[in-house]
Amino acid sequence: MMELIQFINGTTIAAIAVVTYLVVWAIKQSKLSNQYLPIVAILIGAVIGIFIGIANGDIKWVAGLVDGVIAGAVSVGGNELAKSIGTMFNGGAK
């Protein structure tokens, strides 16, 4: 049973990360400075995580908050990783 709970929790973080990435990508199209996007991603992830934690009912909202903050950080890191790999295959050109 614990394995199932851990699997569900892991997929929840992945889902929050994907949604956070998409929301931050949409915000990036606005005039907001890109330097604030990592903070925005973590805040959006935290809000989504709290909502999912409350919606699940069996998880406390604090656990949802932590999951959301982790997912926000993962979405930022994943974006930076993708850009770095793209730069590497372009011969270092941005």
Side-chain angles (χ1 to χ4, degrees):
M1 184 65 176
M2 280 305 286
E3 292 84 15
L4 177 63
I5 292 171
Q6 290 173 342
F7 175 74
I8 291 171
N9 194 28
T11 56
T12 302
I13 291 175
I16 296 171
V18 169
V19 171
T20 301
Y21 175 81
L22 294 173
V23 171
V24 171
W25 177 80
I27 292 172
K28 188 176 182 178
Q29 307 308 313
S30 70
K31 297 197 186 273
L32 182 68
S33 177
N34 286 348
Q35 70 183 12
Y36 300 116
L37 290 179
I39 296 168
V40 170
I42 290 175
L43 291 175
I44 290 171
V47 169
I48 294 171
I50 290 171
F51 175 75
I52 289 176
I54 292 172
N56 282 341
D58 60 341
I59 305 175
K60 297 187 181 203
W61 67 270
V62 175
L65 171 73
V66 172
D67 286 349
V69 168
I70 291 170
V74 166
S75 71
V76 171
N79 184 42
E80 291 300 316
L81 176 67
K83 288 194 309 189
S84 295
I85 290 173
T87 301
M88 182 178 66
F89 284 119
N90 268 344
K94 287 193 175 192

